[in-house]
Amino acid sequence: MKKTSFISGLVMIGLSGIIFTWERFLSLYLFGIIISDDKRGSYPSEPSMPNIFENIFVCLLLVIGIVLVLFSLSKFRKSA
């Protein structure tokens, strides 16, 4: 149980990082499209980068992953 929850926690933390990175990449990609397509030059000076707390899935996966890792580590300490 403790090994499964530890691995599941790490996978959830990694998945939240991948989703967050992909979201930031898409923000920069769309900003590049806006800059290259705008003929008038009225684009914003910086892209609007998403915050880590804006996407509910990133927050949820991160919190669940941290809880699972801490739960498995506490079970490991009790058994050792």
Side-chain angles (χ1 to χ4, degrees):
M1 173 71 179
K2 55 190 166 200
K3 186 175 182 180
T4 305
S5 63
F6 183 73
I7 292 173
S8 299
L10 289 180
V11 167
M12 286 189 181
I13 292 171
L15 188 60
S16 70
I18 289 170
I19 292 171
F20 181 65
T21 304
W22 182 249
E23 190 175 19
R24 290 177 65 90
F25 170 75
L26 286 179
S27 176
L28 288 174
Y29 185 73
L30 291 175
F31 182 71
I33 290 173
I34 290 171
I35 287 177
S36 66
D37 191 39
D38 193 11
K39 305 289 190 256
R40 297 170 288 156
S42 62
Y43 53 86
S45 61
E46 294 182 354
S48 61
M49 299 301 278
N51 191 356
I52 194 165
F53 300 112
E54 289 179 6
N55 190 342
I56 190 69
F57 294 113
V58 172
C59 293
L60 188 65
L61 288 173
L62 186 63
V63 168
I64 291 173
I66 289 172
V67 167
L68 282 174
V69 167
L70 292 176
F71 176 73
S72 66
L73 290 176
S74 69
K75 289 289 184 180
F76 180 69
R77 281 190 179 235
K78 288 180 183 176
S79 67

